[in-house]
Amino acid sequence: MLTHREKERYDRQLRIPEVGKEGQGRLKQAKIIIAGAGGLGAPAAFYLAAAGVGHIRIVDDDRVDRSNLNRQLLHWEEDIGREKTESAKEKLGRLNPDVIIETVSSRIDEDTVAAMVDRCDGIIDALDNFSGRYVLNRSAVTLDIPFFHGAVQGFEGRATTIIPGQTACLECLPRGEQTHAANPIIGITPGMIGCIQASECIKYLLRQGRLLENRLVIFDGLEMTWKEFNIKPRPECSVCGKKNRKRHHGDNTR
Amino acid sequence: MSVTIHLHKSQRHLADGKASVDVAGRTVNACLADLIQQYPDLESQLFENSRRLKKNVEIYLNLESAYPDELAKPVRDGDEIHITLILSGG
Ligand SMILES: [Zn+2]
């Protein structure tokens, strides 16, 4: 049920046939994890909170640095030195007091990930490193949680949507290697990609549209083009291979 | 027999600024070898050593992921190869 204030707040999207009261109810019931409150996490969090996703858990172990402010629009000059999760919670709470914002200020690794993603409906991969992404990807596939991947550098970004048991996962692609240099980046790029991730998440929750399943889109902000590539689950993938095989053979009981 | 290789933006300055290069070859490996023959500076961008692609390099053949065994994939006249780089920034 939507309150009077919610009906006012979401009036313009309630008018979209693909949303409506039923869809808005689905958004309100949902619990989404945003892993990373940085360049990708900021737009994803703003748009999910504005759309009325009822419960958002933000995970980040970092503090705000002045060099973050060109792209991480959740954080402002006055937040320098603050925990990113605290800064994010304050802004999002002021934007939409009708959504629950929960924060976890710790690092995502093998030991912490299971508790972090526990009983959530989707994971936004807004991290800034490969190791955390692969941990999160494995956990998502194991626990059957949709995983909305995005990554950026410079004027270039990419996104794909991973539905466990149905699509390729991150480990079905070549495994990248971390460099130690600071990632060159301008805010418009994670702005675009974070919005793609939030769009995918909202579409998934609404059960509407066509997701980026087995599709990797690459955004080139300098050329202003989007290229779409097909990816497919690798049968021998150590993360999703077994689950995807099971789904394709024998498991016809669903 | 001609195959088009689309270079990543960061590699184009090593190929006279070209976004794509026409090459000949029956496998991805042969096509990349032809590319490197034309623009030798690209070798260190693509290969870790003479047999292995660099870790952050992805190859798409006709818009399909060629991973794994990218280099062995057969190609035909008119095929398109895209070279992209895996990103990790957020
Ligand atoms: Zn996989």
Side-chain angles (χ1 to χ4, degrees):
Chain A
M1 270 299 284
L2 300 174
T3 64
H4 178 71
R5 184 164 81 175
E6 287 170 331
K7 282 180 192 151
E8 271 186 3
R9 173 179 283 274
Y10 306 123
D11 175 72
R12 294 302 190 275
Q13 67 195 50
L14 287 167
R15 295 166 188 260
I16 304 176
E18 287 79 5
V19 183
K21 274 197 187 130
E22 193 189 331
Q24 193 64 50
R26 289 185 202 275
L27 298 181
K28 186 176 176 174
Q29 293 305 314
K31 180 171 170 182
I32 298 298
I33 310 299
I34 300 179
L40 292 168
F46 273 132
Y47 281 95
L48 292 182
V53 169
H55 192 146
I56 298 172
R57 179 185 290 167
I58 299 189
V59 183
D60 202 305
D61 69 336
D62 209 2
R63 286 176 184 275
V64 179
D65 183 83
R66 186 170 279 118
S67 69
N68 300 149
L69 304 184
N70 78 322
R71 63 195 183 282
Q72 304 182 10
L73 304 193
L74 273 170
H75 317 302
W76 305 343
E77 179 76 19
E78 70 222 40
D79 298 312
I80 291 168
R82 245 179 132 186
E83 282 189 341
K84 287 188 181 176
T85 47
E86 275 313 300
S87 163
K89 183 176 177 159
E90 184 211 323
K91 310 304 183 344
L92 297 169
R94 284 164 63 188
L95 173 66
N96 188 351
D98 289 327
V99 302
I100 299 165
I101 308 293
E102 195 190 337
T103 59
V104 181
S105 300
S106 66
R107 197 177 163 72
I108 295 180
D109 58 33
E110 308 276 0
D111 299 326
T112 60
V113 69
M116 275 179 200
V117 302
D118 184 40
R119 272 172 290 171
C120 72
D121 301 299
I123 301 170
I124 305 271
D125 168 15
L127 293 172
D128 62 357
N129 64 88
F130 281 120
S131 59
R133 282 195 158 88
Y134 289 121
V135 168
L136 210 50
N137 173 68
R138 179 179 289 274
S139 182
V141 172
T142 306
L143 299 171
D144 269 321
I145 304 170
F147 183 77
F148 306 97
H149 167 69
V152 287
Q153 183 174 330
F155 281 92
E156 181 178 327
R158 50 168 57 200
T160 187
T161 294
I162 294 162
I163 307 292
Q166 295 178 39
T167 69
C169 79
L170 279 194
E171 301 261 7
C172 292
L173 299 171
R175 213 184 152 107
E177 196 172 52
Q178 196 80 29
T179 61
H180 295 287
N183 187 39
I185 187 71
I186 183 161
I188 48 169
T189 310
M192 298 288 279
I193 300 297
C195 280
I196 296 289
Q197 294 173 276
S199 308
E200 288 290 290
C201 180
I202 287 171
K203 280 159 55 189
Y204 170 79
L205 294 172
L206 294 175
R207 303 175 196 171
Q208 296 289 343
R210 180 173 164 239
L211 297 171
L212 282 174
E213 288 176 274
N214 288 322
R215 299 189 286 153
L216 175 77
V217 287
I218 297 185
F219 167 68
D220 179 340
L222 289 174
E223 300 289 332
M224 205 47 83
T225 57
W226 294 88
K227 270 211 183 67
E228 182 178 320
F229 295 103
N230 295 316
I231 53 181
K232 45 183 185 286
R234 278 193 302 121
E236 68 278 14
C237 174
S238 64
V239 173
C240 74
K242 205 169 157 191
K243 182 156 275 181
N244 280 328
R245 276 200 301 279
K246 212 186 233 169
R247 187 62 58 90
H248 286 132
H249 309 283
D251 185 12
N252 295 325
T253 50
R254 296 166 57 90
Chain B
M1 175 83 190
S2 175
V3 171
T4 303
I5 300 185
H6 299 270
L7 302 176
H8 186 260
K9 195 171 289 286
S10 63
Q11 299 159 349
R12 293 177 192 167
H13 69 286
L14 302 173
D16 294 339
K18 286 185 183 164
S20 64
V21 177
D22 288 336
V23 299
R26 291 176 187 282
T27 61
V28 168
N29 196 32
C31 290
L32 293 180
D34 186 10
L35 174 71
I36 287 166
Q37 180 121 39
Q38 296 181 49
Y39 300 104
D41 291 345
L42 284 171
E43 182 165 19
S44 63
Q45 299 289 312
L46 299 176
F47 286 92
E48 221 161 69
N49 54 47
S50 61
R51 278 158 188 239
R52 204 187 306 157
L53 284 169
K54 286 182 85 166
K55 286 228 167 95
N56 291 4
V57 171
E58 278 178 326
I59 303 288
Y60 290 88
L61 179 56
N62 299 326
L63 305 179
E64 299 263 348
S65 173
Y67 180 77
D69 302 325
E70 301 94 322
L71 297 177
K73 293 277 185 313
V75 296
R76 290 190 293 193
D77 197 24
D79 279 359
E80 303 212 37
I81 294 172
H82 281 85
I83 301 172
T84 68
L85 299 183
I86 309 180
L87 311 179
S88 66

